[in-house]
């Protein structure tokens, strides 16, 4: 007997998984765009897309800081608690509220870390 859940069988489940990646990418792009605008970049949209191509911002390992690691672990624990302790419409409402906020917060942590590394390299 196993307690692990299987991958979703219906398309809705897959769209939810893909949606979390889209929320992360959009939050990360928005933060980079806003930073480029604040710095007075002539083309903030290009700068936001070019941020990910900058070789100076990559670091070895899965997590660049302990904040990122504990952010991921804490987010997973919170989502598991909500999923495990609630049922029905309450679970749905809480997960649809909490998960996008957590994903955006993790994108912010990644953005801050990349910004620190870029500042250090310059």
């Amino acid at each position: 007997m196993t307690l692990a859940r299987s991958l979703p069988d219906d398309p809705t489940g897959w769209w939810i998984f893909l949606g979390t990646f889209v929320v992360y990418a959009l939050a990360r792009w928005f933060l980079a765009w806003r930073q480029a605008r604040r710095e007075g970049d002539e083309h903030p949209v290009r700068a936001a897309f070019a941020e990910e191509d900058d070789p100076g911002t990559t670091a070895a390992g899965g997590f660049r800081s302990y904040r990122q690691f504990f952010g991921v672990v804490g987010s997973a624990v919170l989502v598991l608690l909500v999923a495990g302790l609630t049922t029905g419409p309450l679970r749905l409402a809480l997960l649809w509220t909490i998960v996008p906020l957590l994903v955006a917060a993790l994108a912010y942590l990644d953005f801050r870390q990349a910004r620190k590394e870029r500042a250090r390299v310059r």
Side-chain angles (χ1 to χ4, degrees), residues 27-93:
R28 190 68 197 266
W29 178 83
F30 173 75
L31 292 168
W33 171 78
R34 191 178 69 173
Q35 181 69 28
R37 253 183 98 202
R38 281 185 183 167
E39 291 175 353
D41 197 328
E42 198 170 303
H43 300 285
V45 174
R46 281 190 216 156
F49 283 118
E51 180 204 39
E52 297 301 321
D53 298 334
D54 187 8
T57 61
T58 58
F63 298 101
R64 295 180 186 159
S65 71
Y66 286 111
R67 285 186 185 137
Q68 288 176 323
F69 175 73
F70 288 120
V72 169
V73 171
S75 296
V77 167
L78 182 61
V79 168
L80 286 174
L81 283 173
V82 168
L85 297 176
T86 59
T87 59
L90 177 62
R91 175 191 289 174
L92 188 65

Side-chain angles (χ1 to χ4, degrees), residues 18-29:
L18 290 174
T20 58
F21 292 114
V22 169
V23 168
Y24 176 85
L26 286 175
R28 190 68 197 266
W29 178 83

